[in-house]
Amino acid sequence: PPPRVPAAGALRRRVLGCFLVSGWSKSTGTRRHGAGRGPRRGLAAGVVMRMLGAPLGLAVACALPGAARALSTLPSSQRGLSIHLDTIPRLLKCIDACNHLGDRREEDIVPLVIHGDTVGEVFEETASLLASSGVFKLSDGVGAGARAGSGPWLSLAPDLAGAPAEQVTEAVAALTAGLRQEGVVTGWRDELVAVSPSFGAPPVFEVERAAYPLLGVRGYGIHVNGFTRDPSAPGGLQLWVATRSKQKQTWPGLRDHIVAGQISGGLSPEETVVKEAEEEAGIPEALAREARGTGFVSYRGVDEQGRLKNDCLFCFDLELPRDFEPQPVDGEVDSFELWDLNRVLSLLEGDVEFGEPYKPNCALVVLDFLIRHGVLPPSHPGYLELVSGLRATGQR
Amino acid sequence: PPPRVPAAGALRRRVLGCFLVSGWSKSTGTRRHGAGRGPRRGLAAGVVMRMLGAPLGLAVACALPGAARALSTLPSSQRGLSIHLDTIPRLLKCIDACNHLGDRREEDIVPLVIHGDTVGEVFEETASLLASSGVFKLSDGVGAGARAGSGPWLSLAPDLAGAPAEQVTEAVAALTAGLRQEGVVTGWRDELVAVSPSFGAPPVFEVERAAYPLLGVRGYGIHVNGFTRDPSAPGGLQLWVATRSKQKQTWPGLRDHIVAGQISGGLSPEETVVKEAEEEAGIPEALAREARGTGFVSYRGVDEQGRLKNDCLFCFDLELPRDFEPQPVDGEVDSFELWDLNRVLSLLEGDVEFGEPYKPNCALVVLDFLIRHGVLPPSHPGYLELVSGLRATGQR
């Protein structure tokens, strides 16, 4: 049979079972990989663990001398944290939440191809809607010029295919204005967003910000992890958590970053951080400029309106002085609270004890923060899958 | 035409050109995205920059009031560092060095499929060699049971397809012993490495460590960035750099991490760090246990023997006290030196001023370190491509 990828759930169960059986080793005092390799004591502990289930089993294993030594020699980034063998498998649900297609299939997705580059992706019915305007053209993916194995694709209509970007922008503006009148595009911003084959490259056209999700073009945002260092806190860190206003149209009441926003208006990621920090959390420019870009997370899945979302979020870390408190400025946020990492982990794991969960894409940026700061143990099952899942789509 | 990916070089030139033209903006004092959006002064500076080339152009731009302000408000992780608009495009060569196929093509690659999971990848001639042993079987990818569009694949021979892992391990051991006698497998270690569909999962078989690259199975390693904090150093950090012994068979004299090694013998990533730290750099266990796992880098390309290498390296950060010096213990390393980040960047950019370069896969782990610590500016061209390239292959 040809290669296949096992169902994620089945794989996770298999891996978890293996880790539990492999158990603990007295010789080195930490968890061991490789089924059945540990000394008998480790194996016995593993069997007990599997019989009792992971969290309780962990407690049993902790009673053994080797395990006790293991816990006392964790790096400071993991000390005092409540992390079990089923923690990462639970966190993996955050990846799924941003990367599922709902009841749609990969085959329903039509790429938007401009000058040979894929600049967006839409579902079939949106492709038909856009093609009916005369601005775009839907090719059926068969016949002369079609690539073997490729399906239909959307491109500019022939009379626009060689036109300068400004002319395409005008044609798209007429289209989106019509869709606004028909109520298809809502929340008009009167602000243009660049559509490019890669971030920062010259745009092939520009489109009203409220309409860009309809075209399935990549969105770029910034998210800032505001944190403080405290050696006495679990893992040595505390994270500022925002609670979104209950009046917000999207995700009311959910947890958020202290600073986050879409990159638009020709601003750079760093400039967007400074602008949003002032507007959303009253963070002065001099402090906001200390935010450090630390990579990105990306995801692709259906959004709450059933459209295909393909986003890339630049991740920033901003260490805040212990005596600084962000302030709700623009009414988008009800409150800011400084949380310890056990509480953050509980929320990400789906625990309802601390109320509303994180807005789904914020969860990815927080997970990236936890991984970069050494909070999650590389030896735990699901670690590589979790780290992989944070950048589900490649970027240029 | 169907979607195509533009040649990386062409794209980089295009992006760089755009960034240079977009220039600097006095209004916010930092680099701006989006071609032609900045005020006239920024545009004029951009034209000058493009005429003179980036590094010199940067100097010109720095003479402008806005740019001067920009430099004084960089985050501390970038202060004092020599980073130009062409820095990241140069660093991208480190990604290419680990991910090129040489004169081979994707179509030459044959997957090794066990129980439906792809556990390795080899070139055609190796697939034929392995199939000729009778342990493996080469299917031609056409006819009944073949997946549309898939090529040939390698699997276990029919009499081993349902056998327990131990029996497959024995058959593979007989095969590799023969290849050792023929001189195909060299550097015999007498140590088994697990072959699994994902890290930590039960092995489908085990194979002699010296022979696993021949089978193209994923290799897992650990690399430790040993560093010190120093607010007066450029970027606030210094990195320990090892120089490999000139007597080493592989990569003699090249730069390396203070601690690195393959994960084997059933050890976890954390245990491997502790073991190698003691053996390679004389780092006591209590200190080595402070190493923090911070994610992974991965790559896939031809190695120095022309085989397909598919590796995943767990990245660790170990902050060392200012008065601690790693010591060469096992003769693999000639010296350890504490470098400032400008020197590290120069080396990664291909500057010959500081002698031998990094061993190629070490460069990826150091780049990941620089990105996580906020050394590279997200607004610079190539940033997303660089971050993407560090995890070139997904992991489970």
Side-chain angles (χ1 to χ4, degrees):
Chain A
R4 72 174 164 79
V5 175
L11 181 73
R12 272 175 227 154
R13 278 191 301 278
R14 186 149 37 110
V15 173
L16 193 58
C18 168
F19 275 85
L20 293 179
V21 169
S22 66
W24 299 70
S25 145
K26 196 191 167 195
S27 62
T28 56
T30 58
R31 293 166 203 96
R32 291 178 70 86
H33 284 270
R37 282 172 176 278
R40 290 224 180 106
R41 185 197 292 263
L43 204 60
V47 171
V48 172
M49 286 167 75
R50 195 163 65 157
M51 285 169 62
L52 299 180
L56 184 53
L58 196 69
V60 173
C62 289
L64 297 172
R69 184 166 154 236
L71 290 183
S72 68
T73 53
L74 291 173
S76 59
S77 58
Q78 289 168 23
R79 261 174 241 149
L81 289 172
S82 178
I83 295 174
H84 306 286
L85 287 176
D86 57 356
T87 298
I88 293 180
R90 286 184 196 193
L91 296 175
L92 282 168
K93 289 177 190 151
C94 300
I95 307 284
D96 295 341
C98 290
N99 289 283
H100 72 87
L101 289 182
D103 55 357
R104 311 304 299 255
R105 302 164 308 154
E106 280 291 334
E107 301 88 87
D108 300 338
I109 296 171
V110 177
L112 170 59
V113 183
I114 312 278
H115 307 326
D117 295 311
T118 297
V119 299
E121 284 180 319
V122 296
F123 286 118
E124 286 168 336
E125 66 278 10
T126 307
S128 301
L129 174 74
L130 294 173
S132 69
S133 70
V135 177
F136 296 99
K137 180 188 122 187
L138 186 56
S139 304
D140 62 7
V142 294
R147 194 179 54 171
S150 76
W153 74 92
L154 198 64
S155 56
L156 287 173
D159 56 323
L160 285 169
E166 292 72 19
Q167 193 181 332
V168 179
T169 298
E170 277 174 34
V172 172
L175 162 62
T176 53
L179 293 172
R180 181 192 186 186
Q181 287 197 322
E182 292 167 27
V184 176
V185 173
T186 56
W188 198 264
R189 303 285 290 256
D190 224 2
E191 182 185 335
L192 291 176
V193 176
V195 176
S196 307
S198 68
F199 184 71
V204 289
F205 64 88
E206 294 178 298
V207 62
E208 155 63 25
R209 182 167 161 176
Y212 96 90
L214 185 75
L215 271 68
V217 298
R218 284 182 213 99
Y220 297 95
I222 59 94
H223 280 236
V224 180
N225 300 294
F227 72 102
T228 62
R229 292 188 196 275
D230 179 355
S232 68
L237 300 173
Q238 293 171 301
L239 192 65
W240 281 99
V241 175
T243 300
R244 293 166 69 88
S245 162
K246 294 196 174 54
Q247 269 67 53
K248 282 211 67 136
Q249 280 203 324
T250 55
W251 313 106
L254 266 61
R255 312 300 182 173
D256 205 330
H257 281 95
I258 54 163
V259 176
Q262 197 178 1
I263 297 172
S264 65
L267 294 182
S268 72
E270 292 92 328
E271 289 168 333
T272 309
V273 166
V274 170
K275 173 173 165 282
E276 300 284 347
E278 177 77 49
E279 289 177 9
E280 295 186 339
I283 298 175
E285 176 172 339
L287 185 51
R289 286 200 179 278
E290 275 301 322
R292 301 172 172 200
T294 57
F296 72 83
V297 300
S298 60
Y299 53 92
R300 173 179 175 272
V302 280
D303 69 5
E304 52 284 15
Q305 278 99 46
R307 294 172 306 203
L308 191 62
K309 196 162 192 154
N310 193 343
D311 282 353
C312 171
L313 307 179
F314 287 88
C315 304
F316 285 81
D317 278 3
L318 177 57
E319 182 177 348
L320 292 167
R322 300 276 296 273
D323 58 358
F324 180 84
E325 279 193 35
Q327 299 297 331
V329 174
D330 58 5
E332 309 265 301
V333 163
D334 270 354
S335 67
F336 292 109
E337 292 176 320
L338 192 58
W339 285 28
D340 74 46
L341 295 188
N342 275 326
R343 197 168 165 176
V344 171
L345 277 166
S346 287
L347 199 72
L348 291 169
E349 285 184 70
D351 199 325
V352 295
E353 186 186 351
F354 300 113
E356 294 290 338
Y358 266 112
K359 181 166 162 268
N361 63 355
C362 296
L364 301 187
V365 179
V366 174
L367 285 172
D368 181 71
F369 174 85
L370 297 176
I371 286 161
R372 286 186 289 101
H373 287 275
V375 169
L376 299 178
S379 56
H380 276 211
Y383 181 84
L384 292 179
E385 187 179 353
L386 183 70
V387 177
S388 267
L390 293 178
R391 298 184 196 147
T393 61
Q395 300 291 328
R396 289 181 296 165
Chain B
R4 72 174 164 78
V5 176
L11 181 72
R12 272 175 228 153
R13 278 191 301 279
R14 187 149 36 112
V15 173
L16 193 59
C18 167
F19 275 85
L20 293 179
V21 169
S22 66
W24 298 71
S25 146
K26 197 191 167 196
S27 62
T28 56
T30 58
R31 293 167 203 96
R32 291 178 69 86
H33 284 270
R37 282 170 176 278
R40 290 226 178 106
R41 184 197 292 262
L43 205 61
V47 171
V48 172
M49 287 168 75
R50 195 163 65 157
M51 284 169 63
L52 299 179
L56 183 54
L58 196 68
V60 172
C62 289
L64 297 172
R69 183 166 155 236
L71 290 182
S72 68
T73 53
L74 292 173
S76 59
S77 58
Q78 289 169 23
R79 261 174 241 150
L81 289 172
S82 179
I83 296 174
H84 306 286
L85 286 176
D86 57 356
T87 297
I88 293 180
R90 287 185 195 192
L91 296 175
L92 282 168
K93 290 177 189 151
C94 299
I95 306 285
D96 295 341
C98 289
N99 289 284
H100 71 88
L101 289 182
D103 54 357
R104 311 304 300 254
R105 301 165 308 155
E106 280 291 334
E107 301 88 88
D108 300 339
I109 297 171
V110 177
L112 170 59
V113 183
I114 312 277
H115 307 326
D117 295 311
T118 297
V119 299
E121 285 180 320
V122 297
F123 286 119
E124 286 168 336
E125 66 278 10
T126 307
S128 301
L129 174 75
L130 293 172
S132 69
S133 69
V135 177
F136 296 99
K137 180 188 122 187
L138 186 57
S139 305
D140 61 7
V142 294
R147 193 179 54 170
S150 76
W153 74 92
L154 197 64
S155 56
L156 287 173
D159 57 323
L160 284 170
E166 292 72 19
Q167 193 181 333
V168 180
T169 298
E170 277 174 35
V172 172
L175 163 61
T176 53
L179 293 173
R180 180 191 186 185
Q181 288 198 322
E182 293 167 27
V184 176
V185 173
T186 56
W188 198 263
R189 302 284 292 255
D190 225 2
E191 183 185 335
L192 292 176
V193 176
V195 176
S196 307
S198 68
F199 184 71
V204 290
F205 64 89
E206 294 179 299
V207 62
E208 155 63 24
R209 181 167 161 175
Y212 96 90
L214 185 75
L215 272 68
V217 298
R218 283 183 213 98
Y220 297 95
I222 59 94
H223 280 236
V224 181
N225 299 295
F227 72 102
T228 62
R229 292 188 196 275
D230 179 355
S232 68
L237 300 172
Q238 293 171 301
L239 192 64
W240 281 99
V241 176
T243 301
R244 293 166 69 88
S245 162
K246 294 196 174 53
Q247 270 66 53
K248 282 213 67 138
Q249 281 203 324
T250 55
W251 313 106
L254 266 61
R255 312 301 182 173
D256 205 331
H257 281 96
I258 55 163
V259 177
Q262 198 179 0
I263 297 172
S264 66
L267 295 182
S268 73
E270 292 92 329
E271 289 168 334
T272 308
V273 166
V274 170
K275 173 174 165 282
E276 300 283 347
E278 177 77 49
E279 289 177 9
E280 295 186 340
I283 298 175
E285 176 172 338
L287 185 51
R289 285 199 179 280
E290 275 301 323
R292 302 173 171 197
T294 57
F296 72 83
V297 300
S298 60
Y299 52 93
R300 172 179 176 272
V302 281
D303 68 5
E304 52 284 15
Q305 278 99 46
R307 294 173 307 204
L308 192 62
K309 197 162 192 155
N310 194 343
D311 282 353
C312 171
L313 307 180
F314 288 88
C315 304
F316 285 81
D317 278 3
L318 177 57
E319 182 177 349
L320 292 167
R322 300 276 296 272
D323 58 358
F324 180 84
E325 279 194 34
Q327 299 297 330
V329 174
D330 58 6
E332 309 265 302
V333 163
D334 270 354
S335 67
F336 292 108
E337 292 176 321
L338 192 59
W339 285 27
D340 74 47
L341 295 188
N342 275 326
R343 197 168 165 176
V344 171
L345 277 166
S346 288
L347 200 72
L348 291 169
E349 286 184 70
D351 199 325
V352 295
E353 186 187 351
F354 300 113
E356 294 289 340
Y358 266 112
K359 181 166 163 268
N361 63 355
C362 297
L364 301 188
V365 179
V366 174
L367 285 172
D368 181 70
F369 174 85
L370 296 176
I371 286 161
R372 286 186 289 101
H373 287 274
V375 169
L376 298 178
S379 56
H380 276 211
Y383 181 84
L384 291 178
E385 187 179 353
L386 184 70
V387 177
S388 266
L390 293 177
R391 298 183 195 148
T393 61
Q395 300 291 328
R396 288 181 296 166

